[in-house]
Amino acid sequence: MATPAEQLPPGWAAEWLTWNATETATGRTQWEPPAPQGGVAPYADNAPTGSPPPAHHHAKRRQYAAGQTQAYYGGGGEAILDPGYLAGQADSTWGSAALYAWQTHAAPGVAQPQYYAPTTEPEYINQPGYGQQQPATYGQPVDNLANQFGGMGIAGQKGFQLYTTNLLTSPPDPRDLQIPPPEIRLPPNSCISPSPTANSDPSYQRCTLNAIPTASSLLGKAKIPLALILTPYRSLKEGDEPVPVITDTVIARCRRCRTYINPYVQFIDGGNRWRCCMCNMTNEVPQLFDWDQVRNQPGDRWARAELNHSVVEFVAPTEYMVRPPQPAVYIFLIDVSNTAVQSGMVATATRTIKENLDRIPDEDGRTKVAIICFDTSLYFFSLPQGTTEASMLVVSDIDDVFLPKPNDLLVNLAEARESMENLLDKIGNMFQENSIIGSALGPALQAGFKLMSPIGGKIMVLSSSLPSAGAGGLLQAAVPFYKTFAIECSRAQVSVDMFLFSSAYQDVATLACLPHYTSGQTYYYPAFNAGRAEDAIKFAHEFGEVLAMPIMLEAVMRVRASRGLRMSSFHGNFFVRSTDLLAMPAVPLDQSYAIEIQIEETINTPFVVFQTAVLHTTCYGERRIRVVTMALPTTSSLSEVFASADQVAIATFFANKAVERSLTHKLEDARDLVQKSLIDILIAYKTSMTSGGAGASAQLAISENLKMLPVLTLGLLKNVGVRQSTQIPPDLRAYAQALLTSLPSQLLIPYLYPTFYSLHNMPPEAGEIGEHGVILPPPLPLTSERLERHGLYLIEDGQTMFLWVGRDAVPQLVADVFDLPSYDALRGGKTTLRKIREMRRGPYYPHLYIVKEDGEPPLRLWALSALIQDRADVLPSYQQFISTLKEKVSST
Amino acid sequence: MGAGWLFLFAVLYSAGLLFGMVFFVIMFSDLESDYINPIDLCNKLNQFVLPEYGAHAFLALLFLLWGQWTAFLWNVPLLAYNGNKVFNKNHMYDATEIFRTLPSHQKETYFKLAFYLLSFFYYLYRMIVALVAENA
Ligand SMILES: [Zn+2]
């Protein structure tokens, strides 16, 4: 069973896993809600915590486990085991082979519910099989199991075993990045559902600590930041289970704290009432909660999606609406100045819009579109009903922007389809000879805003030059226009996406403000030239994906947490409208947010719950609430805090924090902050978790699960957005910073620590379609020591891919890959090779560069700068970085 | 006009500024408890920022013209602080950053509140001293 799940990059792994999750879900018939067959009423299972559950439950649960595993074998022939199943099966004959099979399959993205976790069955403690398990590299799960068995008893919830690693002697292994975060081990009976999807998948929501300290003093000792990383609106790849939708508008919420009912509440009073998991308030169960409105008969409460799934969507009744759901509106602001036309941007953009008209979400036929072109004047297009010809209206008074016509500028996409296509065909030619240089982006935005503000929607800006005319001209520095305008937009439910193309300075940092505060996104194509096929393809692909995105409109997001926890500060693309309410006019897919959490008072509960609710209008006009619930155990032990830390989430948080600091202070301060945070963690670990004896000076200790944090931090410090260098154009830096604060972990981690494959000596099965998609070769550590002269390598960070060809590459290899006779015939530089399959979430289409070992130095250096474990200029190598850390840690 | 009248004016004036600061404090706590949204808050408060700075500067100018050196020097630090903020263009409240910067705004407002309170008593004392001296 050596399927290389461990070798898959995060994207594949997640895909594979969700496939696995689907499998689990389809096996749903296997489980029944706490069934009456044991003679227990359904509600009895939800007795208040503390009272020991009846013993026969366990026996029953074990049976489920057995049934489930059989289902796996019978169904898919898969030896994939959830840790929970294993736990339940501990007394059966699973050998270590089975365990190993599971370990190697573990990959990021897995939801590891603990519903089959042993509760109180001491007969397992001395189970011989467990004692023999070696804490291997992928030892975490094994240890977890061992722990669970060892620690059962009084609390029923035993912590994570801590394994210390010496950073000086164990170099980073990229495969470690694909290990899932430390498992969430909830106390028994905290969840009323046995469903594997009852706790949040890390791709939706993850926490830097998977065991929450009970007091802020404990958190302070560990020095690990406490933060949530969330992507509530995550894309579904093929095979992903869709988010269950609750259509009966029976929405049970806590009277006091407004928490939505979820799998972590308790039913009391024979099921007539439920106790809130956040504030302990007792609430009535709504009358129609147990009524199946579709069949009009009594329904099964335990089958309700909100009690079984961590991520659900409620269809919202009218109480949740300020006004009727609005249609989706798209306004395109196209720069038609000389620069834009000459670069081919206008032609590519109009063609892409035209080709993607079918993909723009318009299920209900209500979607509206408008096009406004601008140079130093504004060009409106009127598309009256009944004609297929558009007429152009020019407004050259840009100081006081007005709409030249009250209607026909913003038209229904379905009705005006033909005239829209005609218009898009013509725009390119219309401005072909335009010699005007300059950009009235500010007035164009004001015009778009005027057109859209009664409804709200998305403004897509395509701009090739620095705004120069009218409001928002950026010829002088520090124009407050974009910030004030962003606030107006947020109020009117208008979101702005920026597509920027300039070859000269365009002030991306200022322009990116607009997407930042209106929940949009910035896309940057420096020195775009459609004459190069690669540029055109990249932009057309990404723009097309953005157009096709089913966006959430008029959204507000709020995160609630158990008593004692408070959301203290927010990072990401939105406007903070009140202390805990985030306004997002249009939420794109796969955007990540980070929220810092404060422990305000001592937590007395065995577990805590975080619930994210996004009230939104779908782009087909339905008001909905997406709810993501995550439960985490609490702990009062410092070693558990360390052992439960999620390095990927911490690195994601660091990226957000670094960018924030660089905006309010200097870049140098941002780097210092990140490095200091890492050193603080290392010092905290050294002082509290190691004996500090004679051997201590020869090591730099950290727990096994945080082993990759230093190299990820180094990757962040070397990232274009934060790196120390005077060579980086400010626009590139600003764009990198926009990515650092909005990419979900799955894309951010390779952006910090690129994946590096050796292609000339791949294992034979690599490249073939395996059970779980294309099998990829194992990733290598990012150091040029791995580059051989005859080799072929791929280095990719999700935004750029480098194909490195060694100078002694065998002609056969060159012929196979590039269809060229020899290495000498090969040209370095930007290129397209066959079809690159996008493996990760998000709209990004990386540029591919062929880098010859003896090719042009700048390209070589660029490619080599992705190998972040090497020394580059003033930037330290991994070894140097680690020894600096070591010095700083020992000097305290 | 005698020093007594100047300080009487200053007493009333600093009482006005004091109330202004109380208003700021109330507004910030309203923001914290979600009674007002950050956009309205900033629009409202930003109207008062420069008038407040101006009023304070005006009072300091009066002390300077009347040759009240102690009173003038007492006001110099705040004058410099305000001036520096205006010079760096960060005297206005920014709705997009307000929740991040709220603690520091509150600290500043409390500090100014204390300053105007002390000023109030100091001017009162100086007024009494001056009036007593005039009548004597
Ligand atoms: Zn509650």
Side-chain angles (χ1 to χ4, degrees):
Chain A
M1 279 312 296
T3 18
E6 63 181 42
Q7 300 168 357
L8 297 178
W12 281 109
E15 201 164 313
W16 175 82
L17 264 158
T18 29
W19 177 84
N20 183 24
T22 323
E23 181 84 341
T24 317
T26 48
R28 230 176 100 184
T29 45
Q30 292 294 322
W31 62 265
E32 308 278 342
Q37 71 208 43
V40 195
Y43 306 126
D45 195 42
N46 308 297
T49 35
S51 66
H56 52 218
H57 267 224
H58 308 305
K60 199 178 69 207
R61 290 198 164 189
R62 270 215 316 282
Q63 282 165 11
Y64 283 143
Q68 186 96 26
T69 27
Q70 270 161 16
Y72 267 114
Y73 273 90
E78 291 282 331
I80 304 159
L81 299 172
D82 211 275
Y85 302 140
L86 262 182
Q89 285 292 331
D91 57 342
S92 74
T93 47
W94 292 109
S96 48
L99 257 177
Y100 180 70
W102 177 72
Q103 289 161 28
T104 49
H105 279 84
V110 74
Q112 295 168 342
Q114 271 304 295
Y115 57 99
Y116 290 121
T119 42
T120 42
E121 287 156 296
E123 70 263 31
Y124 290 156
I125 291 182
N126 297 319
Q127 228 286 329
Y130 278 91
Q132 288 152 18
Q133 286 295 335
Q134 303 284 326
T137 326
Y138 291 79
Q140 190 71 21
V142 185
D143 310 332
N144 292 349
L145 289 174
N147 264 316
Q148 277 175 352
F149 287 96
M152 285 168 317
I154 318 118
Q157 162 204 21
K158 162 73 187 197
F160 304 78
Q161 185 76 39
L162 194 64
Y163 284 98
T164 299
T165 315
N166 182 1
L167 287 169
L168 299 178
T169 53
S170 53
D173 180 348
R175 283 174 301 182
D176 285 0
L177 288 174
Q178 288 146 33
I179 304 177
E183 178 196 347
I184 298 172
R185 240 167 304 129
L186 290 169
N189 289 337
S190 43
C191 180
I192 57 174
S193 163
S195 158
T197 51
N199 213 344
S200 161
D201 185 284
S203 61
Y204 281 109
Q205 189 158 316
R206 66 200 300 169
C207 186
T208 52
L209 295 174
N210 273 347
I212 303 292
T214 46
S216 67
S217 57
L218 183 62
L219 179 65
K221 266 186 214 150
K223 298 280 180 197
I224 299 177
L226 180 57
L228 280 183
I229 308 295
L230 45 151
T231 310
Y233 195 36
R234 196 204 71 176
S235 58
L236 297 169
K237 290 272 175 195
E238 215 172 304
D240 274 8
E241 191 193 3
V243 173
V245 180
I246 298 142
T247 49
D248 60 7
T249 67
V250 178
I251 304 179
R253 295 179 70 180
C254 173
R255 277 185 291 147
R256 188 193 292 154
C257 68
R258 309 302 292 147
T259 295
Y260 295 81
I261 202 165
N262 60 63
Y264 301 93
V265 302
Q266 288 173 354
F267 285 102
I268 46 175
D269 273 4
N272 289 325
R273 300 210 264 167
W274 60 279
R275 181 172 291 146
C276 174
C277 54
M278 306 266 192
C279 69
N280 256 339
M281 181 82 180
T282 310
N283 298 282
E284 300 287 325
V285 171
Q287 278 186 338
L288 291 173
F289 199 68
D290 296 317
W291 188 257
D292 185 339
Q293 291 183 15
V294 181
R295 295 199 190 83
N296 218 13
Q297 63 184 44
D300 177 8
R301 167 181 302 185
W302 303 104
R304 284 190 74 96
E306 65 266 47
L307 297 183
N308 290 296
H309 296 273
S310 149
V311 187
V312 290
E313 228 162 59
F314 294 96
V315 172
T318 43
E319 297 99 274
Y320 291 84
M321 298 173 200
V322 194
R323 54 178 182 177
Q326 301 296 303
V329 178
Y330 295 84
I331 294 184
F332 301 96
L333 303 182
I334 307 175
D335 180 354
V336 291
S337 65
N338 183 274
T339 344
V341 175
Q342 291 312 314
S343 71
M345 183 276 278
V346 179
T348 317
T350 46
R351 204 188 57 232
T352 309
I353 299 173
K354 190 187 161 199
E355 281 168 3
N356 287 287
L357 281 179
D358 279 331
R359 296 176 71 205
I360 294 180
D362 190 20
E363 282 92 337
D364 58 352
R366 296 202 301 161
T367 302
K368 288 171 190 285
V369 286
I371 294 180
I372 300 171
C373 294
F374 65 95
D375 42 36
T376 52
S377 311
L378 306 180
Y379 308 92
F380 293 85
F381 299 94
S382 153
L383 304 158
Q385 255 184 325
T387 61
T388 53
E389 284 305 306
S391 53
M392 184 166 85
L393 304 146
V394 186
V395 172
S396 26
D397 176 12
I398 52 169
D399 292 326
D400 182 20
V401 176
F402 61 94
L403 297 178
K405 235 180 145 199
N407 41 28
D408 298 335
L409 297 176
L410 184 63
V411 294
N412 183 296
L413 175 61
E415 287 166 14
R417 177 67 194 261
E418 209 175 322
S419 40
M420 191 47 89
E421 281 182 19
N422 275 339
L423 172 64
L424 287 165
D425 280 336
K426 275 194 224 146
I427 288 179
N429 288 329
M430 240 182 255
F431 296 97
Q432 193 56 54
E433 305 300 321
N434 193 357
S435 61
I436 297 172
I437 294 174
S439 151
L441 176 62
L445 282 165
Q446 287 171 330
F449 179 79
K450 275 211 166 107
L451 201 50
M452 176 183 267
S453 57
I455 309 174
K458 203 149 191 79
I459 294 182
M460 300 209 182
V461 176
L462 301 122
S463 168
S464 283
S465 45
L466 184 72
S468 57
L474 285 173
L475 297 177
Q476 328 87 356
V479 179
F481 171 82
Y482 294 93
K483 239 181 193 182
T484 8
F485 186 69
I487 295 172
E488 273 179 62
C489 285
S490 178
R491 260 196 163 168
Q493 304 293 354
V494 173
S495 165
V496 182
D497 277 349
M498 287 272 177
F499 292 82
L500 306 172
F501 303 89
S502 180
S503 50
Y505 176 64
Q506 199 173 5
D507 203 349
V508 174
T510 305
L511 295 178
C513 256
L514 213 38
H516 177 72
Y517 293 114
T518 61
S519 73
Q521 183 61 287
T522 304
Y523 301 88
Y524 183 42
Y525 308 89
F528 179 80
N529 179 359
R532 284 191 302 258
E534 309 80 47
D535 280 18
I537 293 172
K538 178 181 166 71
F539 164 57
H541 175 89
E542 294 182 359
F543 189 35
E545 288 300 306
V546 174
L547 287 174
M549 230 180 233
I551 44 177
M552 283 178 169
L553 299 160
E554 310 181 87
V556 285
M557 177 161 94
R558 178 173 266 136
V559 181
R560 293 181 174 85
S562 296
R563 194 190 291 167
L565 297 168
R566 189 176 70 89
M567 306 297 128
S568 60
S569 76
F570 306 88
H571 307 269
N573 293 0
F574 43 66
F575 175 65
V576 188
R577 205 160 73 188
S578 78
T579 41
D580 63 343
L581 190 69
L582 310 174
M584 306 198 274
V587 189
L589 278 171
D590 297 317
Q591 207 170 60
S592 168
Y593 315 97
I595 300 179
E596 281 173 71
I597 304 162
Q598 233 173 37
I599 302 175
E600 284 195 312
E601 49 189 273
T602 307
I603 303 165
N604 301 316
T605 47
F607 69 96
V608 292
V609 178
F610 296 93
Q611 189 176 68
T612 306
V614 188
L615 176 62
H616 65 278
T617 304
T618 62
C619 43
Y620 43 89
E622 193 168 38
R623 199 71 176 147
R624 284 190 180 184
I625 310 147
R626 176 171 287 212
V627 177
V628 183
T629 311
M630 176 170 74
L632 294 175
T634 55
T635 179
S636 52
S637 128
L638 190 55
S639 74
E640 283 193 10
V641 175
F642 278 111
S644 73
D646 176 352
Q647 53 191 357
V648 166
I650 298 174
T652 312
F653 176 72
F654 277 174
N656 278 284
K657 205 67 189 161
V659 173
E660 183 202 43
R661 183 54 70 102
S662 76
L663 296 177
T664 54
H665 294 67
K666 281 183 295 202
L667 261 175
E668 201 187 332
D669 298 321
R671 288 188 293 267
D672 288 349
L673 175 78
V674 171
Q675 191 160 348
K676 185 167 177 305
S677 311
L678 177 63
I679 292 170
D680 284 347
I681 296 174
L682 292 168
I683 292 174
Y685 194 86
K686 184 190 162 201
T687 46
S688 50
M689 289 298 135
T690 57
S691 52
S697 58
Q699 64 166 349
L700 182 59
I702 193 68
S703 58
E704 181 75 28
N705 52 313
L706 289 176
K707 201 175 124 193
M708 293 299 279
L709 188 59
V711 81
L712 289 174
T713 310
L714 180 65
L716 174 61
L717 293 173
K718 289 188 168 192
N719 186 279
V720 177
V722 185
R723 188 196 301 168
Q724 177 186 3
S725 161
T726 47
Q727 309 291 315
I728 299 171
D731 280 352
L732 276 182
R733 222 192 249 294
Y735 177 60
Q737 294 195 340
L739 291 177
L740 286 175
T741 50
S742 60
L743 291 181
S745 299
Q746 191 211 36
L747 283 102
L748 182 74
I749 294 307
Y751 192 52
L752 299 179
Y753 190 90
T755 30
F756 180 28
Y757 300 114
S758 156
L759 300 182
H760 60 286
N761 54 0
M762 291 188 283
E765 72 273 14
E768 286 167 23
I769 309 287
E771 278 173 88
H772 317 302
V774 177
I775 298 171
L776 287 156
L780 303 175
L782 287 169
T783 155
S784 55
E785 285 162 23
R786 295 303 182 109
L787 293 173
E788 287 175 292
R789 286 164 69 102
H790 63 275
L792 176 70
Y793 302 86
L794 181 73
I795 311 167
E796 64 95 20
D797 68 358
Q799 303 295 320
T800 328
M801 300 167 88
F802 298 104
L803 207 49
W804 177 282
V805 194
R807 68 174 83 203
D808 292 342
V810 222
Q812 189 54 45
L813 182 71
V814 178
D816 283 352
V817 179
F818 306 101
D819 220 3
L820 286 170
S822 72
Y823 176 75
D824 298 318
L826 188 64
R827 288 270 156 272
K830 232 188 248 186
T831 187
T832 35
L833 260 191
R834 290 166 273 159
K835 191 171 178 286
I836 309 169
R837 252 195 76 184
E838 187 40 60
M839 304 175 298
R840 301 204 178 90
R841 299 178 200 286
Y844 300 102
Y845 186 93
H847 263 314
L848 176 66
Y849 292 87
I850 292 178
V851 188
K852 293 175 72 173
E853 191 184 343
D854 52 5
E856 317 94 275
L859 185 58
R860 274 188 64 231
L861 284 178
W862 186 18
L864 289 175
S865 76
L867 301 176
I868 58 148
Q869 283 170 232
D870 284 346
R871 203 186 133 192
D873 207 8
V874 289
L875 306 168
S877 71
Y878 181 70
Q879 298 310 329
Q880 291 169 318
F881 184 62
I882 287 291
S883 36
T884 319
L885 293 179
K886 166 92 173 60
E887 270 167 39
K888 296 247 167 88
V889 170
S890 346
S891 67
T892 49
Chain B
M1 197 165 73
W5 291 104
L6 174 66
F7 280 106
L8 174 61
F9 178 72
V11 165
L12 297 175
Y13 211 84
S14 55
L17 286 169
L18 198 63
F19 280 116
M21 283 303 111
V22 172
F23 169 70
F24 272 51
V25 169
I26 293 172
M27 291 298 278
F28 284 134
S29 69
D30 274 4
L31 180 70
E32 270 187 323
S33 36
D34 290 350
Y35 293 136
I36 187 168
N37 74 59
I39 306 169
D40 292 341
L41 172 101
C42 292
N43 288 344
K44 220 172 226 176
L45 290 191
N46 281 337
Q47 295 172 14
F48 294 102
V49 171
L50 283 179
E52 190 240 326
Y53 289 8
H56 177 254
F58 176 69
L59 189 61
L61 184 74
L62 285 185
F63 288 135
L64 186 68
L65 292 178
W66 256 260
Q68 296 292 345
W69 301 112
T70 346
F72 175 70
L73 286 176
W74 163 249
N75 282 291
V76 164
L78 183 61
L79 204 60
Y81 176 78
N82 286 344
N84 183 48
K85 275 184 101 176
V86 176
F87 184 75
N88 290 322
K89 294 206 172 89
N90 60 0
H91 55 290
M92 289 300 191
Y93 296 105
D94 177 353
T96 56
E97 299 288 323
I98 191 84
F99 285 106
R100 208 193 306 282
T101 49
L102 191 59
S104 67
H105 290 324
Q106 279 177 318
K107 217 180 279 170
E108 185 194 290
T109 315
Y110 281 121
F111 177 79
K112 283 188 171 178
L113 192 72
F115 177 84
Y116 290 134
L117 196 68
L118 284 176
S119 300
F120 176 81
F121 287 115
Y122 173 67
Y123 302 149
L124 193 68
Y125 164 77
R126 290 290 306 264
M127 181 189 81
I128 293 166
V129 168
L131 288 178
V132 167
E134 272 170 39
N135 291 336

